[in-house]
Amino acid sequence: MPERLIIDAHHHYQNVPNYPDLLADEYARLGIARVCLISPGGLDGIERLAEAVRRYPDLILGLAQFDWEHHSPEDIDRFRDLGMAGVKFIRPPKPYHDESFWPVYARCQELGLPGLFHLGIVGRSTGTGMMRAASPGDARTAYFVDSNYMRPIYLDTLARLFPEWQIHGAHLGNPWYEEAAMCCRWNPNLYFDLSGSSLKAKRPEFFGDLLWWNRFTRYRDPDARDAWEKIVFGSDVAYHETHDVLHDYDVLFRALNLSDEIRWKILGGTAAAIYGLAEG
């Protein structure tokens, strides 16, 4: 088992009985020390997650899923008071950088709650209550799902507007990878994970070409960090599949010959810094 901190920075609470217990058992087996667990859907989802955080305070970092229709900046305070460590954003009714959302983001920055943003194409499902798609003119839903509202370039705007806010973009912006990589390079407070299908569909060299800069290159991160110091491990799968995602990251590490120092930053060190945790 690894001797240094591993953090799963992107994991969803599954609609399975006793899911926090199942997750805790499996992550103890895998040697994963902390998990950023996103609240389940439904009006009571955040309260259910808060209970899981109370049960496993040394394992679970709760991320409250923001409801664009019902939540407001004042709810960010409520999330903090419930013990949440961050906020998850997905399926916005307007592009992520729309000015009407700025008060929400400002409150996250003020309270020190990192933001995890879904990026790129959003999945489709039926009968789960998770989608807000509708036919034109259908008054039963407040807005359409528009994947173009979730492009990585909008996080570039937010990272500049809220420079003290720690921002995490999911899936390296799939399919807008190059856009995500350049946003990553230019913004010290912006990070990405490689969760989703990308590690299955793309060769390691694809990511090596995207994340090419280091502290010695002519064009580099403003803080002179290696590109891979801006990448975090995230599973975004059910607990029993996380071992496979860890394997995919390990294949990437070996193929690109990443140093032990960089590997551990990806697996946990960088996420520990984002959430203000001591590594070890």
Side-chain angles (χ1 to χ4, degrees), residues 151-165:
R151 292 188 67 139
I153 195 64
Y154 302 134
L155 299 193
D156 175 77
T157 303
L158 300 185
R160 295 168 190 263
L161 282 170
F162 305 102
E164 303 304 317
W165 191 27

Side-chain angles (χ1 to χ4, degrees), residues 72-140:
S72 68
E74 290 69 31
D75 286 294
I76 304 300
D77 293 74
R78 183 172 67 87
F79 300 161
R80 190 271 314 272
D81 293 343
L82 284 170
M84 298 296 105
V87 182
K88 167 69 182 292
F89 299 97
I90 189 171
R91 303 185 186 97
K94 293 177 281 191
Y96 277 139
H97 70 344
D98 190 271
E99 189 171 355
S100 64
F101 303 151
W102 292 2
V104 172
Y105 304 148
R107 196 59 185 148
C108 288
Q109 177 176 253
E110 290 165 7
L111 295 180
L113 297 180
L116 168 56
F117 287 80
H118 172 86
L119 295 179
I121 303 299
V122 71
R124 293 186 63 171
S125 60
T126 58
T128 64
M130 294 298 292
M131 301 302 292
R132 299 194 60 79
S135 300
D138 188 342
R140 291 175 299 172

Side-chain angles (χ1 to χ4, degrees), residues 219-247:
Y219 300 100
R220 59 180 183 268
D221 178 287
D223 290 345
R225 286 181 290 180
D226 188 285
W228 289 94
E229 295 181 62
K230 305 295 293 300
I231 301 299
V232 298
F233 165 63
S235 67
D236 195 29
V237 294
Y239 75 96
H240 59 275
E241 297 179 297
T242 299
H243 69 92
D244 187 55
V245 183
L246 277 170
H247 171 73

